Amino acid sequence: MGNFTAYRPAWMRFFFSPSQRLLGVFLVFILLPGLFLGVFSLRILRQEEQLVRQRAKENLERIAQEIGFRLQSEFKSWEEIISLAAESESPPAEYQPEVFRQALEETGGGVFLYHVEGGFDSFPYGALLYRFGRHGILQPPAIQPTPEIEKAESLEIKQKDYPNAILAYRKLLESATAEQRAELLNRLARTLRKAGRLDEASDVYRELQELKTAWIGVLPADFIGRFELCDLAVESDKMTELADLSLELYGDLVRGKWLLDKSYYSYYSECCRSWCRESQVQEAEFNPIQMKEERKLALTQAAEEFMAEPRRILFGGKETYLCFWQTDPSAALLVSEDFLGSQWWPQIVSEQGKELESVLYNSDGHVLFGSESSEASPLAVVQDIMIDNLPWRIQIWPANPEVVQKEVRQRKSLFIAVLAFIGVLLIFGSYITVRIVKRELEISRMRADFVSTVSHEFRSPLTGIRHLGEMLLDNRVTDRTKQRGYYKMIVQESDRLTRLVENILDFSRMEEGRKEFRFRPLRTFAWLRELVKDFKAEIAAEGIDIVAGIPEDLPQISADKEALGSAVHNLLDNAVKYSPGEKTVWITVERKEGEIKIAVRDKGVGISEQDRKYIFDRFYRAKAEISKRVKGAGLGLSLVRYIVEAHSGRVECESRPGEGSTFSIHIPVEPGAEGGVDE
Ligand code: ADP
């Protein structure tokens, strides 16, 4: 049977090489999980986005529900107040909620109608423009004319004897009762007008105007007085006077000073308006009154409509009113939807959530409060609520949906940032791992080289010693000087072996951190002189000269003589080893500030820049061809550095390939010793 060697095809060998294995491990344990994590995270991110939207929507739904509840409870509380007011037959002045008060204070904002004996009344007084149905306080019954009054009237109307009629009226006025006074003044002024005595008539109307509580037929006396004064101003063509009088009368009429019947109101207010226009009243004064009239008219018409047929929503021409009522005893509240929509509804909505747009539809789909959005927001939510057993609908959506978008974006960026961070960490971690593993692989390779190199290093001195020993033993060398030469060679070879063993032992101690240094004061000059002398002897056979420049006045240093000696020895040894064909190696010592510098220079092969980075690493040997031929284990310089650093010093290397190298050791000098001269 022949030798069996496991054969692997090329592709398999590729996968079994250490760096490919490393790549495989990296792929399987770092890159793939990393990719998986990335994809997984992106999916989560998408879900997260949906979740944020969903949450925003749920939140809105909750708010819409709250608004619904609030609306129902507000309506309910208003109805309760109305029923309380209805029972007490009085306006809800004291217990009205703030929103009522505000609504009723505003012109055309709202009115409260409540039941009174024989009809109903409105609150606040003057909220409505005119009287309708059995509304308002009835005027006292008209007074019956006495025979004297009838006589005076006959003088005025039938006989057209105005002077006598005037006299008769004046006479009657002297003894008239309070009720008769208004009637008589009116007739007197009328007769005076007929008689062309306009100024006198005007005075009488002014007197009439002062009678605040009297009635003439169905109209208040003071109103008639003022109305007739206007009429008189037209008759006498006094336009400035007419302007003042008619504007004031119109203002009072609209303000609700007198509650006239509908038809009277229409007639008299029309007269006032046309007088105002005729006398060219300032628009700035006239327009506000007219606007007020329009708003009140809308409310009054709505109230009239409501009394004819009560319902929740009254769509007026210009305004819509929301009604709350109670029957038997009856009371009702009409509030302008405009008012609620601008004052009350926004408040209800904003109480539940800031920055919301909203709209409230009644069961017919009519927009009561808020305004519909031109485009449907994707976040809009709808909530149905029951009002009068009919479904009303609230729709709300965020005023600026960017807030939600922003949250989504923020989360997204955070997520991506974390992912990116993990990614960078992964890449960085992988890079470091690969570097370390590669370095370790390299070291293990170098260690393997080391074993074979060391074996070689041992073998040649051992072979030499053995060879020389055998020759001497067999008495093959008889010449005494030759014999001495051989003995010397045996000693030198054993020294080399000893140093090699020392180096290896030192290295292993250094690796384990067990190496101990014994620091003692060292006479630098003597020590170095001795060292150079020994080294020269060692290499005498190689024909290389060591040129030493060591000044005598060197300060003492504190050092481990053996260790530092072996460091310098290693440098000298290297200088000789890597200078093939060269005859000289230099060692110079310099005193520098606070330290001494021991420099070993050669003109040998030099070291490339690339190699210079690593030569102090353990097991490292330069890639140059010469290193392969020269024996060495790649331990020398790492030991030098270790020893020098233990002496708080440093080692430096300057070199140019092909021109030679200089290694220098810098050892600090103790402050006290610096001045002291060695020997
Ligand atoms: P080695 O046993 O290989 O000499 P060292 O640690 O002493 O190990 O040196 C490391 C490497 O540095 C050597 O392999 C050699 O390539 C390079 N080197 C050291 N000293 C010199 C020098 N004086 N000239 C050129 N190369 C040198």
Side-chain angles (χ1 to χ4, degrees):
M1 264 179 47
N3 269 354
F4 177 79
T5 34
Y7 173 76
R8 284 186 182 134
W11 65 268
M12 232 187 212
R13 279 204 303 276
F14 175 83
F15 284 108
F16 278 91
S17 77
S19 44
Q20 261 61 23
R21 243 189 337 244
L22 186 69
L23 190 73
V25 168
F26 173 72
L27 274 177
V28 173
F29 292 102
I30 297 180
L31 204 64
L32 281 182
L35 277 176
F36 178 73
L37 188 77
V39 173
F40 187 63
S41 310
L42 283 178
R43 286 197 62 163
I44 289 186
L45 187 67
R46 211 164 303 143
Q47 278 176 1
E48 181 83 354
E49 219 174 301
Q50 278 170 355
L51 213 71
V52 169
R53 288 230 167 75
Q54 180 69 21
R55 224 178 298 141
K57 228 170 165 162
E58 276 169 13
N59 195 28
L60 280 179
E61 267 161 10
R62 191 184 49 73
I63 291 174
Q65 212 172 26
E66 290 289 321
I67 295 173
F69 290 149
R70 182 72 204 277
L71 190 74
Q72 279 172 329
S73 84
E74 285 273 304
F75 280 13
K76 210 167 154 209
S77 77
W78 296 358
E79 265 153 17
E80 272 164 21
I81 286 163
I82 288 159
S83 77
L84 272 173
E87 272 154 29
S88 65
E89 270 201 19
S90 69
E94 280 139 45
Y95 36 84
Q96 56 183 299
E98 179 67 11
V99 49
F100 274 26
R101 207 177 49 70
Q102 287 175 358
L104 300 185
E105 264 172 19
E106 194 172 286
T107 310
V111 66
F112 186 73
L113 305 170
Y114 61 104
H115 168 84
V116 288
E117 192 63 41
F120 66 94
D121 218 337
S122 56
F123 174 86
Y125 183 78
L128 301 181
L129 273 185
Y130 53 78
R131 228 158 35 158
F132 52 86
R134 287 174 296 135
H135 166 216
I137 306 134
L138 292 172
Q139 73 277 9
I143 50 157
Q144 289 299 315
T146 58
E148 285 82 10
I149 294 176
E150 274 175 359
K151 208 176 133 200
E153 216 167 34
S154 152
L155 275 174
E156 178 206 343
I157 294 165
K158 288 199 186 127
Q159 295 165 32
K160 303 214 187 315
D161 178 0
Y162 302 131
N164 278 324
I166 290 165
L167 282 177
Y169 282 136
R170 285 211 195 275
K171 188 136 182 46
L172 279 170
L173 267 169
E174 282 166 21
S175 58
T177 61
E179 289 95 55
Q180 286 169 342
R181 214 178 143 70
E183 291 270 0
L184 286 170
L185 281 174
N186 190 26
R187 284 166 211 217
L188 173 63
R190 187 174 69 200
T191 322
L192 282 167
R193 277 173 82 171
K194 287 179 189 164
R197 290 151 66 177
L198 299 186
D199 286 347
E200 278 175 73
S202 161
D203 288 344
V204 175
Y205 281 134
R206 262 182 244 284
E207 214 175 310
L208 187 62
Q209 180 187 295
E210 297 308 314
L211 302 179
K212 303 286 183 207
T213 53
W215 290 78
I216 300 169
V218 293
L219 296 169
D222 58 340
F223 170 73
I224 300 234
R226 286 173 63 178
F227 180 80
E228 293 298 345
L229 275 173
C230 292
D231 201 34
L232 208 59
V234 178
E235 201 177 319
S236 43
D237 206 18
K238 289 179 179 162
M239 280 305 143
T240 347
E241 201 180 315
L242 177 66
D244 290 347
L245 289 173
S246 62
L247 187 72
E248 206 182 331
L249 183 64
Y250 182 41
D252 280 348
L253 204 57
V254 169
R255 194 155 51 79
K257 189 168 162 98
W258 311 280
L259 203 58
L260 308 183
D261 278 338
K262 185 180 178 178
S263 53
Y264 287 106
Y265 178 83
S266 313
Y267 170 71
Y268 287 118
S269 65
E270 181 48 44
C271 288
C272 286
R273 280 194 296 273
S274 67
W275 283 334
C276 285
R277 277 184 221 112
E278 201 176 312
S279 59
Q280 287 173 343
V281 163
Q282 292 260 316
E283 283 203 353
E285 286 175 303
F286 176 74
N287 288 350
I289 303 177
Q290 202 187 16
M291 263 161 63
K292 200 167 167 187
E293 186 184 24
E294 270 173 23
R295 305 203 54 191
K296 275 178 125 178
L297 187 67
L299 179 64
T300 313
Q301 282 169 347
E304 202 178 352
E305 228 178 282
F306 176 81
M307 291 311 273
E309 191 199 338
R311 66 209 116 119
R312 176 67 71 196
I313 297 164
L314 282 167
F315 299 105
K318 282 189 186 153
E319 306 235 10
T320 303
Y321 296 89
L322 220 61
C323 312
F324 303 91
W325 72 97
Q326 137 98 31
T327 44
D328 198 24
S330 55
L333 173 79
L334 274 63
V335 203
S336 142
E337 180 221 273
D338 257 14
F339 172 82
L340 288 180
S342 66
Q343 312 277 324
W344 171 78
W345 177 252
Q347 205 178 321
I348 298 267
V349 174
S350 65
E351 261 170 31
Q352 306 301 328
K354 298 267 168 286
E355 319 238 329
L356 284 180
E357 294 278 356
S358 62
V359 57
L360 176 70
Y361 301 93
N362 76 345
S363 53
D364 302 333
H366 171 80
V367 175
L368 283 179
F369 307 135
S371 54
E372 287 171 294
S373 70
S374 52
E375 62 204 66
S377 163
L379 287 167
V381 296
V382 167
Q383 173 75 35
D384 283 341
I385 46 162
M386 295 308 279
I387 304 275
D388 307 333
N389 289 327
L390 290 170
W392 285 26
R393 179 162 285 190
I394 297 170
Q395 190 179 28
I396 58 172
W397 62 96
N400 60 19
E402 267 89 71
V403 178
V404 178
Q405 298 292 3
K406 209 172 141 195
E407 198 187 328
V408 170
R409 260 201 310 270
Q410 268 173 358
R411 276 166 180 266
K412 212 170 179 173
S413 333
L414 187 76
F415 217 82
I416 288 173
V418 170
L419 263 186
F421 181 69
I422 292 176
V424 168
L425 224 64
L426 262 179
I427 292 170
F428 184 70
S430 317
Y431 170 74
I432 296 284
T433 314
V434 167
R435 265 193 71 144
I436 291 174
V437 171
K438 261 181 128 174
R439 185 88 199 100
E440 284 308 311
L441 283 174
E442 177 88 338
I443 285 174
S444 72
R445 187 190 57 74
M446 288 197 289
R447 202 172 263 151
D449 286 356
F450 167 75
V451 174
S452 75
T453 318
V454 166
S455 317
H456 270 103
E457 290 255 315
F458 272 101
R459 189 180 284 160
S460 63
L462 280 177
T463 319
I465 290 170
R466 182 170 174 186
H467 190 64
L468 291 170
E470 274 174 359
M471 285 212 295
L472 290 168
L473 198 66
D474 295 348
N475 282 331
R476 268 188 269 157
V477 186
T478 45
D479 183 22
R480 294 292 294 174
T481 23
K482 257 193 179 168
Q483 270 181 358
R484 258 189 76 78
Y486 284 5
Y487 284 130
K488 210 172 165 187
M489 274 164 79
I490 290 176
V491 171
Q492 272 175 1
E493 286 299 282
S494 342
D495 271 356
R496 230 177 98 188
L497 272 179
T498 314
R499 233 188 331 275
L500 200 62
V501 171
E502 267 320 307
N503 260 359
I504 292 167
L505 284 177
D506 269 357
F507 174 75
S508 97
R509 284 192 209 109
M510 180 183 91
E511 282 271 271
E512 291 166 23
R514 276 195 299 114
K515 170 87 184 152
E516 279 175 18
F517 292 93
R518 275 189 298 265
F519 293 96
R520 300 248 157 71
L522 186 63
R523 288 174 179 168
T524 320
F525 174 71
W527 162 65
L528 280 171
R529 192 181 50 186
E530 187 76 19
L531 193 144
V532 172
K533 200 176 124 204
D534 287 352
F535 186 73
K536 272 185 180 168
E538 224 174 272
I539 57 155
E542 297 185 32
I544 290 184
D545 190 21
I546 307 291
V547 178
I550 308 172
E552 289 184 21
D553 58 345
L554 289 173
Q556 280 191 0
I557 53 169
S558 166
D560 181 321
K561 189 176 165 188
E562 296 305 319
L564 203 58
S566 93
V568 178
H569 187 279
N570 273 341
L571 292 186
L572 284 169
D573 199 34
N574 276 352
V576 173
K577 273 200 301 190
Y578 297 105
S579 308
E582 288 295 328
K583 292 275 171 261
T584 324
V585 162
W586 293 265
I587 172 164
T588 49
V589 185
E590 266 178 74
R591 240 184 112 159
K592 299 199 118 190
E593 193 156 321
E595 61 178 29
I596 61 163
K597 173 181 165 191
I598 305 165
V600 176
R601 184 162 68 88
D602 64 65
K603 284 194 168 179
V605 292
I607 308 159
S608 74
E609 200 182 324
Q610 179 64 21
D611 284 333
R612 260 205 310 271
K613 285 188 220 155
Y614 304 110
I615 48 173
F616 291 100
D617 290 356
R618 57 206 172 128
F619 305 124
Y620 189 86
R621 306 205 67 215
K623 302 274 181 286
E625 195 49 40
I626 172 86
S627 295
K628 293 192 183 113
R629 275 186 275 122
V630 175
K631 285 177 193 154
L635 290 183
L637 285 181
S638 68
L639 266 173
V640 170
R641 187 171 66 178
Y642 183 75
I643 293 166
V644 170
E645 280 175 2
H647 283 77
S648 314
R650 62 186 197 285
V651 53
E652 284 168 3
C653 165
E654 285 167 44
S655 181
R656 271 165 187 258
E659 289 180 23
S661 324
T662 306
F663 284 85
S664 46
I665 291 174
H666 301 251
I667 302 289
V669 174
E670 282 173 24
E674 197 167 344
V677 174
D678 192 23
E679 283 182 47

